[in-house]
Amino acid sequence: MSNCENYGTSNGTACACPPGFGGSTCSQPACGGTLFQGSSRPLASGSPFANLTSCSCEDGWTGTGCNVCQTAQACQNGFMSVRGTSGSLTGLDSGQNNTLVCSTSPRVYAGSQMSCQVQNPTLQTIFPGQSTLTISRTLNSSFTPLPNITAFGSSGSVYAQLFYQGVEQFFCTADSCAQDLGSGDGSADWECKDLKCTCRSGTSFCGATKATDLTGIINTLSGTLGITCDAPASNGTATCAFKQDTIDQVFGSSGLALNGCTFGECIAQSTLDTLAGNQTTSSGSVHGGSSLSGGVIAGLAVVGGLVGIALVLLLLGFIAQRRARKQGFGVLDRSGGVAVAWSDISYSVSQSTDIAWLPRRRKNDAETQKTILDAVSGRVVPGEVMAILGPSGAGKTTLIEILAQKHKSGRVTGGIAFPGAGAGNDRPRIGFVPQQDVLPPMLTVHEALVFAARLRLPEGLPDSEKHARVDDIMDRLGIAHLRNVRIGDGEKRGISGGEMRRVTIGLELVAKPDVLILDEPTSGLDSVSAAKVANVLHALAHDPENPTAVIASIHQPSSQLYHSFDQVLLLAHGRALYSGPGGFAPAEHFSAQGIPFKEGYNVADYLLDVASDPPVGLFPLSSGSNSGTQVARGDSSDDEIEKGLGGPSAAPAAVLDGKFEPQEAVQGSGKKKKSWFATSQYQATFLTQLEVLSSREWKVLRRDKTLFLAHVAIAAVLGAFCGGLYFHTDQTIAGFQSRILVLLDVELQGALIAFSSLSALYNVVEIRPLFLRERSASYYSPAAWLLSRFVFDVVPLRIIPSVIVSTMTYWMAGLAHDAAHFFKFLLILVLYAIAMTLFNFLLACLFRNGGIAILISALTALYQMTYAGFFVHLADIPPVLRWLQWLCPLKYTLEALSVNEVGSGLMIVDSLEGVPVSTSAALIMQKLFGFGENNYYRDVLVLFAYIVGFAVGVIFVVWLKVRERR
């Protein structure tokens, strides 16, 4: 069996050869003659390889090997020379006649020949002689005049040969071809599959000189082949390109350029007329870009799914909001009327010195437990104000927080009841005023109170009633004149300390609490301000329509302040020395115990003196009994109230044993229907929470523009500097170096984005106390806060500066001049900015110590710069550390930016010592940095994955970890 070259087909002892070749092995190109002669054509001679240099073509034929017809007469004469005047066409008889014409357009009707000059500076530097490429394209072999002679192979196949100095160097074939005629301007593009090429050993391209041996490259060419041809010029020639992945990497995305291409196809006139208007042959098209991989398509599907889920959740939230607002609540319901009774409250914490995040051993060992409270009991009924007195460390704040049902990190035992709250209904509304005033400094007093009203009053309550409630609270607190005054903080002066305390109290009164609990509301205030606060509490407790139980810890009250309290609980070393009526009753009680009281002396100071060093006999002898006076109220006995049995409407007692968590609401038989995003914990629906939070964020951003202007100014200066430094880079070797440096500066811009996102970390650390207070008071869900905080941080502080610096650098440096590549460039930087912002959000939420979070963020930015791919080639990193590149978001960012730039068809065109050089920037990119040419969409999806991963991490940490622990 013959070994056929040029992909001829063996028919036993001989080979059927492609047009223009002959000999026993199809290795000899034709020299003269016509295409119709087939294997009978004269062949070129030469040793060791046949050479076409001395060959000449007959009239009407041209191209390397004389295979391209130029006139109809040449086709007719060639056909008659082999068939005679009476011969007929051997193609399909239907619609054919003996009149042949020559089609010289790039379009193929049946089987066409083309011949081109290969003129590439890089190729000519290595092989300075003349290179030509002949291509035989067969679209439908049944319509060609002589099948297997004027056309070869199956329909939709291509055969190509490259000649250098008249000698064939290599040959290729491909099948499954489709033709695309574009817009009908005369151009024609072919796309074929299953490309394979064979180098002719010993030729100039394939081993004649070892230094220029291309055998290893040519023999491995495979995959998709593209042949694109523009419309012919006035001289009948056209510009074409021979495209394949490896060739594109070497010579650029436009492939191997072919110039002066001539086309010739002998075809019957009637067949031409029939097929000329038929566009069905265009079953495919050739595009410059690469197709999307299955992984990219799957990733896009996931992104689309996430967007769809977000839209569905938004729709459900809108429906829930509309439903809640339509239900309505009429007028505000009554508040107050709820007593507080607690029995044998004890609290202890571990004194273990173990590291906080390591498991604690011997947790219940008495030696490692410190008792803060020991069997403290007491009660307060509506219409009374109780003062909890005691020296520092007596346990006042701890008792206050337990009564307010705050999260405690230690162990709590005992019972708490709320007689009067109603059996089987939701737990009473408890207002808690912490010792520190944590308020939004950029809001006015009125705005802060309206913010609380919109989130803590029922969704269905009209806004007019909420505003009326706020105005009433401001009048009662005496802060109506501060309506439009900003609250301020330590840096920007606003209202005074006493006014801040009254605003903090107002935030709780807006929600109409049944019980109000305050932790040292007068600490740090002068006597006048303290008296105003005391008057407010006294008026609230003794409101004839809504009497309220008020409990407040007081550090060192004046005589006037002390006598405004109805009840007094005195603590010493975590134990109750007295619990009963205020006034002079405590002094009389201790006087009876042998501790004299001097007339005219401040009773509060006297009680603190007693509690600072109490005699042992004052402490109760057993747990559960107090030596203080206990006075029953109403119809219920002391024990009944303490156990939660004070009357038929008493709420069940909360029995505490173990790590304390807030008591959950008790659902009765008459359960209310809950809507989406609305639970018993929050009064407002999710969309309302998001709306109110966004409104506050916008006001803060609008009033404090310092951070925003700083980011914009830095971005503008950096963009102008980088753009001016690399202004209008060209496509020379020096210009490509500048482009590399532009991308390096883009990397530094990415590092700047990473570092500038530290401001996001600082903002979260700064606002964390306010979030903890508002979350513990059930203002809003963590998800609503995170979403509003993220939007108003990312858009003004990350996206806008990124757009500014990217736009200035991109167009001034002269990167790819088209909108598509610019917006792809912009998309990458925006995605990276969002990812880094979420990463810093995660650090800020994960670590309470802002210094640790900032340190980790800075070190992470330096790590990303190392593994991005510019400072060190990723392949040169030791394998034990190389895997870290896959955890580096900046690596994917820089790869996508580089691929986007070279994917625009960037070529390096220059000369070295007079030798012209033209090569693809994609090849240099792969060699220098190891970036994949088709990795842009993969990198986009990886950045999306980082965004989703960081977002899920932030939500998880905030939901479980960032909560009030006292």
Side-chain angles (χ1 to χ4, degrees):
M1 180 177 293
S2 300
N3 184 17
C4 303
E5 295 191 35
N6 287 295
Y7 300 109
T9 57
S10 176
N11 55 12
T13 58
C15 293
C17 303
F21 288 89
S24 60
T25 61
C26 299
S27 61
Q28 292 178 272
C31 182
T34 68
L35 186 67
F36 291 89
Q37 293 177 270
S39 60
S40 301
R41 293 178 67 180
L43 303 176
S45 60
S47 178
F49 302 103
N51 195 308
L52 294 175
T53 305
S54 60
C55 294
S56 59
C57 298
E58 296 184 4
D59 291 340
W61 298 91
T62 187
T64 303
C66 306
N67 299 318
V68 181
C69 69
Q70 292 294 286
T71 64
Q73 188 64 45
C75 291
Q76 295 169 10
N77 292 340
F79 180 78
M80 287 188 293
S81 68
V82 297
R83 292 293 181 178
T85 56
S86 61
S88 62
L89 302 175
T90 58
L92 291 180
D93 292 334
S94 175
Q96 295 186 0
N97 57 38
N98 292 330
T99 304
L100 291 179
V101 296
C102 178
S103 172
T104 58
S105 70
R107 176 179 177 177
V108 179
Y109 295 95
S112 176
Q113 311 298 317
M114 61 183 288
S115 179
C116 304
Q117 301 292 324
V118 180
Q119 294 181 353
N120 180 272
T122 302
L123 191 64
Q124 288 178 316
T125 301
I126 305 174
F127 304 103
Q130 184 181 33
S131 298
T132 60
L133 184 68
T134 62
I135 303 177
S136 175
R137 298 174 295 166
T138 302
L139 184 65
N140 193 329
S141 59
S142 61
F143 288 111
T144 191
L146 299 177
N148 294 322
I149 296 178
T150 54
F152 185 77
S154 61
S155 298
S157 61
V158 164
Y159 293 84
Q161 302 85 25
L162 186 136
F163 291 85
Y164 176 66
Q165 297 289 66
V167 177
E168 184 184 16
Q169 305 295 310
F170 64 87
F171 47 88
C172 301
T173 186
D175 54 29
S176 303
C177 299
Q179 179 177 241
D180 181 13
L181 301 179
S183 59
D185 59 353
S187 62
D189 297 344
W190 276 56
E191 184 180 81
C192 306
K193 299 179 180 179
D194 302 324
L195 172 67
K196 56 183 178 179
C197 297
T198 302
C199 217
R200 299 194 71 196
S201 179
T203 59
S204 299
F205 278 45
C206 306
T209 303
K210 186 174 182 181
T212 59
D213 187 4
L214 303 180
T215 303
I217 297 176
I218 293 173
N219 287 346
T220 57
L221 294 178
S222 60
T224 300
L225 169 66
I227 303 173
T228 62
C229 293
D230 298 333
S234 57
N235 61 1
T237 63
T239 299
C240 299
F242 193 84
K243 307 177 70 174
Q244 187 268 345
D245 287 344
T246 304
I247 295 175
D248 293 352
Q249 293 173 13
V250 176
F251 301 111
S253 59
S254 57
L256 182 64
L258 307 176
N259 299 318
C261 295
T262 57
F263 309 88
E265 177 180 8
C266 291
I267 187 169
Q269 180 63 58
S270 58
T271 304
L272 181 65
D273 294 338
T274 302
L275 299 178
N278 186 2
Q279 302 294 326
T280 58
T281 56
S282 304
S283 59
S285 61
V286 179
H287 301 281
S290 59
S291 60
L292 299 180
S293 66
V296 171
I297 295 175
L300 292 174
V302 171
V303 172
L306 292 176
V307 173
I309 292 174
L311 292 176
V312 170
L313 292 177
L314 184 64
L315 177 61
L316 294 180
F318 178 75
I319 295 174
Q321 185 185 58
R322 291 290 300 273
R323 180 179 300 173
R325 290 181 177 179
K326 285 182 178 179
Q327 287 178 350
F329 278 81
V331 297
L332 285 171
D333 56 348
R334 293 173 58 86
S335 63
V338 177
V340 184
W342 59 98
S343 175
D344 296 335
I345 296 294
S346 297
Y347 179 72
S348 60
V349 295
S350 174
Q351 298 186 91
S352 174
T353 58
D354 294 341
I355 299 176
W357 45 268
L358 291 178
R360 294 179 178 178
R361 291 174 294 180
R362 300 185 303 170
K363 185 173 181 180
N364 296 321
D365 194 333
E367 295 180 359
T368 64
Q369 297 293 316
K370 179 180 180 181
T371 300
I372 307 299
L373 293 176
D374 185 12
V376 178
S377 301
R379 61 180 175 81
V380 181
V381 298
E384 290 185 344
V385 181
M386 170 178 274
I388 301 179
L389 302 177
S392 298
K396 302 186 298 297
T397 297
T398 301
L399 179 60
I400 283 289
E401 292 171 350
I402 292 175
L403 296 180
Q405 298 191 331
K406 295 297 177 182
H407 292 265
K408 299 296 292 182
S409 58
R411 180 182 177 84
V412 182
T413 59
I416 303 175
F418 297 95
N425 295 326
D426 291 343
R427 65 180 181 180
R429 299 185 294 268
I430 301 175
F432 176 71
V433 179
Q435 188 171 344
Q436 301 294 329
D437 294 316
V438 183
L439 301 170
M442 299 306 297
L443 297 188
T444 65
V445 171
H446 181 260
E447 289 170 343
L449 293 174
V450 169
F451 176 85
R454 294 187 65 187
L455 292 177
R456 303 190 70 184
L457 292 177
E459 176 88 23
L461 193 68
D463 281 345
S464 58
E465 293 195 31
K466 294 178 181 178
H467 282 271
R469 174 68 178 170
V470 169
D471 293 337
D472 177 63
I473 293 298
M474 294 180 68
D475 290 335
R476 292 166 62 183
L477 293 173
I479 54 176
H481 64 287
L482 303 173
R483 179 185 184 91
N484 297 319
V485 179
R486 293 186 190 177
I487 295 173
D489 54 15
E491 296 181 1
K492 296 182 180 180
R493 184 64 180 172
I495 59 180
S496 66
E499 292 165 342
M500 282 189 180
R501 180 47 50 98
R502 279 180 278 168
V503 171
T504 304
I505 295 173
L507 295 177
E508 298 302 321
L509 297 184
V510 161
K512 297 186 69 65
D514 298 314
V515 178
L516 182 62
I517 301 176
L518 308 94
D519 186 14
E520 299 193 13
T522 60
S523 294
L525 303 182
D526 58 77
S527 59
V528 176
S529 298
K532 290 181 179 180
V533 172
N535 292 336
V536 169
L537 299 180
H538 190 272
L540 173 66
H542 296 84
D543 188 333
E545 295 184 359
N546 299 305
T548 304
V550 178
I551 304 173
S553 62
I554 304 295
H555 181 60
Q556 195 169 3
S558 64
S559 179
Q560 179 185 2
L561 181 61
Y562 168 78
H563 285 285
S564 66
F565 298 118
D566 303 299
Q567 293 283 315
V568 170
L569 173 61
L570 181 63
L571 296 178
H573 305 297
R575 307 181 76 176
L577 297 182
Y578 175 86
S579 178
F584 290 100
E588 295 173 355
H589 170 75
F590 289 113
S591 295
Q593 301 291 327
I595 304 175
F597 171 71
K598 297 180 181 180
E599 294 293 335
Y601 194 67
N602 185 352
V603 179
D605 292 338
Y606 167 75
L607 295 179
L608 291 177
D609 289 340
V610 173
S612 61
D613 188 18
V616 177
L618 294 181
F619 290 106
L621 298 178
S622 61
S623 177
S625 62
N626 287 315
S627 60
T629 305
Q630 302 290 337
V631 181
R633 295 284 178 177
D635 299 329
S636 302
S637 68
D638 212 23
D639 292 338
E640 288 174 334
I641 293 179
E642 292 181 6
K643 296 176 182 178
L645 304 175
S649 61
V655 180
L656 309 177
D657 186 11
K659 193 170 184 178
F660 180 67
E661 299 288 346
Q663 182 183 356
E664 298 295 333
V666 181
Q667 295 287 342
S669 57
K671 293 183 180 180
K672 296 181 180 180
K673 186 177 181 180
K674 304 297 180 182
S675 60
W676 292 302
F677 299 105
T679 66
S680 59
Q681 186 178 5
Y682 305 113
Q683 295 288 349
T685 59
F686 181 84
L687 278 189
T688 300
Q689 296 172 21
L690 184 60
E691 175 187 345
V692 176
L693 284 166
S694 298
S695 175
R696 182 172 74 175
E697 293 289 348
W698 169 245
K699 290 175 182 176
V700 172
L701 180 65
R702 188 181 58 188
R703 293 171 182 174
D704 187 6
K705 305 180 181 69
T706 305
L707 195 58
F708 171 70
L709 294 178
H711 278 75
V712 170
I714 292 174
V717 170
L718 181 63
F721 177 78
C722 294
L725 191 62
Y726 304 105
F727 188 72
H728 284 182
T729 57
D730 53 31
Q731 295 184 351
T732 63
I733 295 176
F736 181 70
Q737 181 183 15
S738 296
R739 289 175 185 268
I740 292 176
L741 294 176
V742 169
L743 295 179
L744 177 59
D745 276 345
V746 171
E747 177 189 16
L748 297 179
Q749 292 173 15
L752 173 68
I753 292 172
F755 280 113
S756 66
S757 62
L758 287 174
S759 61
L761 189 155
Y762 174 77
N763 289 340
V764 174
V765 172
E766 187 179 39
I767 204 174
R768 182 182 181 126
L770 180 62
F771 167 70
L772 291 176
R773 180 184 69 78
E774 292 175 343
R775 180 185 182 182
S776 66
S778 298
Y779 277 63
Y780 44 73
S781 70
W785 176 78
L786 278 174
L787 189 56
S788 65
R789 183 86 273 256
F790 175 74
V791 169
F792 282 89
D793 184 277
V794 165
V795 174
L797 301 182
R798 318 298 160 203
I799 294 182
I800 293 179
S802 296
V803 170
I804 291 174
V805 69
S806 302
T807 303
M808 296 179 67
T809 302
Y810 191 92
W811 295 111
M812 291 179 67
L815 301 182
H817 287 284
D818 62 90
H821 285 88
F822 168 69
F823 284 110
K824 289 167 70 176
F825 177 91
L826 198 60
L827 172 65
I828 291 298
L829 288 184
V830 169
L831 290 178
Y832 180 69
I834 294 174
M836 287 298 95
T837 300
L838 284 171
F839 175 70
N840 282 291
F841 266 51
L842 180 61
L843 292 180
C845 297
L846 197 58
F847 298 98
R848 293 188 178 183
N849 189 325
I852 295 177
I854 291 175
L855 176 62
I856 294 177
S857 180
L859 293 177
T860 303
L862 295 176
Y863 146 74
Q864 291 193 70
M865 293 174 65
T866 302
Y867 279 88
F870 270 101
F871 293 123
V872 60
H873 196 289
L874 299 177
D876 294 337
I877 300 176
V880 69
L881 298 176
R882 192 179 305 159
W883 61 272
L884 290 172
Q885 65 176 296
W886 307 116
L887 303 179
C888 177
L890 189 57
K891 182 256 186 189
Y892 301 100
T893 301
L894 265 296
E895 182 178 51
L897 293 176
S898 302
V899 169
N900 178 63
E901 177 62 18
V902 303
S904 64
L906 180 63
M907 294 287 296
I908 300 177
V909 181
D910 205 345
S911 61
L912 292 176
E913 299 180 356
V915 178
V917 175
S918 177
T919 187
S920 170
L923 180 64
I924 305 300
M925 178 190 71
Q926 290 182 328
K927 295 296 183 182
L928 291 182
F929 312 120
F931 293 157
E933 185 182 7
N934 299 319
N935 286 350
Y936 178 85
Y937 291 104
R938 185 207 69 173
D939 295 337
V940 169
L941 290 177
V942 170
L943 289 176
F944 264 114
Y946 272 109
I947 290 173
V948 173
F950 288 148
V952 171
V954 169
I955 294 174
F956 180 80
V957 171
V958 170
W959 209 286
L960 297 181
K961 183 177 177 64
V962 185
R963 59 175 65 237
E964 193 177 46
R965 294 283 182 183
R966 295 176 176 267

